[in-house]
Amino acid sequence: RSSADFEDWISNPYLTKAQRDFLVKLEIDVVQDMFKPNIRGYQTTNQRLKAYNSEMLYQFKLERWMDYGPTIAAAFGSRNEREIYHLRTIFGEMIKRAQKSHAVSNRNASPVKFSHQGHQHYSS
């Protein structure tokens, strides 16, 4: 979406929930996604300068790592190099914290029982 949409989403107290939800293009929960099957985590690509519609933008991509490899979850771009640097840094910190949270959660989890072809197995 656009900066104007974000500003409206973040600061307009008169938006209904439906209007606010409409302004969200993609919702990513890096913590909860770690518990979904086939998702191994996220990473950001390096920041670089790229031409988009005859203008140069600083950009990076957010990759979702699946069991079968990476997929692009989102791409971010800006004319302002510092702005995109800070956004990439924030994503990097969220990803690190999500991985730590997931590791602690897995370490403290009680064994989970599941069955496969009539046999019971325990996983911790």
Side-chain angles (χ1 to χ4, degrees):
R1 303 221 49 126
S2 67
S3 294
D5 285 343
F6 172 73
E7 291 300 326
D8 200 24
W9 179 84
I10 198 79
S11 62
N12 186 343
Y14 302 107
L15 290 177
T16 65
K17 177 163 178 16
Q19 291 169 323
R20 195 172 300 282
D21 288 348
F22 177 76
L23 293 173
V24 175
K25 185 171 186 176
L26 175 67
E27 187 175 330
I28 296 172
D29 188 330
V30 295
V31 174
Q32 289 303 313
D33 283 358
M34 297 292 289
F35 296 98
K36 291 181 180 176
N38 304 324
I39 297 180
R40 294 181 174 217
Y42 288 91
Q43 77 174 23
T44 58
T45 62
N46 290 329
Q47 178 178 316
R48 64 187 189 118
L49 194 58
K50 188 173 180 179
Y52 285 98
N53 298 329
S54 73
E55 69 177 317
M56 299 300 284
L57 295 178
Y58 294 94
Q59 65 89 30
F60 73 93
K61 292 180 175 88
L62 178 65
E63 294 178 332
R64 181 182 294 123
W65 277 79
M66 310 295 287
D67 287 343
Y68 52 83
T71 61
I72 296 171
F76 302 91
S78 174
R79 290 182 208 98
N80 184 321
E81 181 178 14
R82 186 178 173 113
E83 182 179 80
I84 208 71
Y85 171 81
H86 288 302
L87 181 60
R88 185 177 175 273
T89 300
I90 290 167
F91 269 109
E93 288 301 313
M94 289 189 310
I95 291 165
K96 276 194 272 186
R97 290 171 189 232
Q99 289 168 340
K100 285 181 185 176
S101 173
H102 185 68
V104 167
S105 181
N106 279 344
R107 198 174 32 224
N108 294 333
S110 57
V112 176
K113 185 168 101 174
F114 65 96
S115 68
H116 173 68
Q117 295 179 347
H119 297 96
Q120 289 188 345
H121 302 274
Y122 292 87
S123 173
S124 52

